[in-house]
Amino acid sequence: MSQHLAIKPKILMDQNYEKLIMSERMDIYTVIYALCYSPCGELLAAGDNFGRIFIFKLESAFSSTDMFKEKNAKNIINVYSGPIYALASTSTYLICGILDKIIGYEWNKIICKDIYEAWKMHIPSSMQYKSAQINSLVWNEKDSLLLCGCGDGRIYGFDLESGSNKCTMIGHEGSIHSVVLDPQSKGCISSSEDGSVRFWDNRKSSQTALIEPYKHKQLSHRKCSKWISAVAIDIDSNWMACGGGSGLSIWHLQSRTLTAICSEITSCVRDVIFHDGNFIAVGDNQNVIHTAINGEVTATIPSSSSPNYTIQVNENFTNKPVLCTAGNSVLIDVFMNFCYKTASLQCICTY
């Protein structure tokens, strides 16, 4: 009997050791693909390649006297075993896009250790694609429509209240990488592996315009892939930035004409946003790059990850915007002053 009891602690020790080793291996290979803020601006969610969502309290992360100490997550949601490429937020839900599914979690319960799915919806299958990875999510609050850019080249629009698929936008010939709203129109803009940027009318589910940056002489000399990973537009819908295999280019939105090329950015761009008169891009180098509308680089700030896959601005945290970037690392860099890194958050499991 005593020998049998002695075996149990050894089994527990072995199990804990295996968990520790697995955790350390995951830390080495962790990639953060998506970031999202809560409506109040106090919480940050990060989705990684192992199907986990890390939840951080931004206020507690910066309340320490040691601002440069890396901070751990307050909660970790294990969604599934594959990558999470897309996160979005409504006033009530954190929305996660995975293979074939959209899952919602309630923000007011997100810190609870026993958090459960509030709801989930399935992406329709097609003759060509039996399953589709969700690569981009954007919430159109005005029309109460969740837009999902998917690996099957389609954009699906869902009504969250009824769970029904209200519209399907078809036209891309490759996987969709990003979808953004056009503030001045009733539509959205998408970018794809096929090298095109397409403009859509949400009311008609129809394509209204198309540009193909890789066909322009100024960009075609860069012998890189034609894919477009991200687009961003200014708040007045006058200017648009396209980032991808050929770097970063600036376009006049109404005329759909190329106006500037960021020649100083020679690596692939993975994500881009617009803030305070500048486009801010991240990609296959270790820098966060600020670019003026004329294509001139105004600031280059080192970061912890290379490449960086995502960049997001939090407009609702305290009285000052906060910028976060993440990528091929367990670290999320936080910039309270956009010209230098303030701190890093850490996406690791602790035992």
Side-chain angles (χ1 to χ4, degrees):
M1 178 66 72
S2 60
Q3 185 178 2
H4 177 70
L5 292 173
I7 293 173
K8 287 187 177 180
K10 184 178 185 304
I11 293 174
L12 290 173
M13 288 177 62
D14 289 343
Q15 290 175 343
N16 289 334
Y17 180 72
E18 288 178 4
K19 282 185 178 181
L20 179 62
I21 294 300
M22 181 59 68
S23 175
E24 290 178 351
R25 287 180 179 176
M26 292 175 77
D27 292 345
I28 295 172
Y29 296 106
T30 292
V31 180
I32 307 297
Y33 287 118
L35 297 173
C36 182
Y37 304 104
S38 63
C40 64
E42 295 177 1
L43 300 175
L44 170 66
D48 78 349
N49 56 323
F50 294 113
R52 303 173 296 180
I53 300 177
F54 294 82
I55 306 296
F56 297 90
K57 280 188 174 181
L58 290 177
E59 186 175 0
S60 61
F62 299 115
S63 61
S64 171
T65 54
D66 186 0
M67 294 289 286
F68 292 92
K69 185 178 180 181
E70 291 144 3
K71 309 297 193 303
N72 296 333
K74 296 299 181 183
N75 196 15
I76 302 172
I77 305 170
N78 291 294
V79 181
Y80 82 134
S81 59
I84 297 173
Y85 293 122
L87 294 172
S89 175
T90 71
S91 59
T92 306
Y93 300 108
L94 168 65
I95 304 172
C96 168
I98 61 174
L99 183 66
D100 289 335
K101 295 184 185 70
I102 309 161
I103 301 172
Y105 298 94
E106 293 182 58
W107 276 116
N108 60 6
K109 298 178 181 177
I110 208 77
I111 296 297
C112 301
K113 295 299 180 183
D114 57 347
I115 179 75
Y116 295 104
E117 301 170 359
W119 49 263
K120 65 181 174 182
M121 297 182 293
H122 293 267
I123 297 296
S125 59
S126 62
M127 293 286 291
Q128 187 176 2
Y129 296 92
K130 293 183 179 179
S131 61
Q133 179 72 49
I134 299 173
N135 297 325
S136 181
L137 289 171
V138 61
W139 171 239
N140 184 341
E141 186 174 8
K142 187 175 182 180
D143 297 332
S144 297
L145 196 67
L146 178 68
L147 299 174
C148 312
C150 297
D152 61 1
R154 300 181 178 187
I155 303 170
Y156 299 94
F158 285 91
D159 182 325
L160 293 189
E161 188 172 339
S162 65
S164 60
N165 178 22
K166 290 291 187 180
C167 61
T168 302
M169 305 175 202
I170 302 174
H172 280 293
E173 298 175 358
S175 176
I176 293 174
H177 289 305
S178 71
V179 179
V180 298
L181 298 177
D182 184 348
Q184 301 299 321
S185 75
K186 293 279 187 179
C188 64
I189 305 171
S190 59
S191 64
S192 169
E193 189 74 18
D194 64 13
S196 70
V197 175
R198 298 176 190 250
F199 301 79
W200 306 88
D201 186 331
N202 296 344
R203 297 165 296 181
K204 301 177 181 178
S205 301
S206 59
Q207 178 181 309
T208 59
L210 161 75
I211 64 171
E212 295 173 296
Y214 70 94
K215 290 186 177 181
H216 286 256
K217 290 182 180 179
Q218 299 98 314
L219 296 171
S220 62
H221 74 280
R222 298 189 177 193
K223 296 181 179 179
C224 304
S225 299
K226 64 182 182 180
W227 51 266
I228 302 295
S229 60
V231 293
I233 59 178
D234 72 325
I235 56 175
D236 297 319
S237 297
N238 290 323
W239 306 99
M240 176 179 69
C242 296
S246 58
L248 189 71
S249 55
I250 312 295
W251 300 71
H252 182 250
L253 199 55
Q254 301 305 317
S255 63
R256 318 280 195 245
T257 55
L258 178 64
T259 59
I261 298 171
C262 305
S263 56
E264 294 181 55
I265 301 178
T266 57
S267 59
C268 298
V269 172
R270 301 289 176 173
D271 201 7
V272 59
I273 60 171
F274 180 85
H275 179 75
D276 195 25
N278 285 301
F279 290 106
I280 309 175
V282 293
D284 287 4
N285 56 37
Q286 206 164 349
N287 297 319
V288 179
I289 301 174
H290 297 238
T291 305
I293 290 172
N294 64 3
E296 180 185 353
V297 173
T298 57
T300 301
I301 301 100
S303 70
S304 300
S305 302
S306 180
N308 281 293
Y309 288 107
T310 180
I311 178 170
Q312 295 290 330
V313 172
N314 184 351
E315 300 280 3
N316 299 321
F317 180 66
T318 64
N319 297 320
K320 196 173 183 181
V322 174
L323 177 74
C324 289
T325 65
N328 192 28
S329 166
V330 297
L331 299 179
I332 301 171
D333 287 342
V334 183
F335 302 79
M336 296 191 75
N337 181 321
F338 285 18
C339 293
Y340 60 86
K341 182 177 73 173
T342 306
S344 291
L345 306 174
Q346 197 164 238
C347 295
I348 62 171
C349 293
T350 55
Y351 291 97

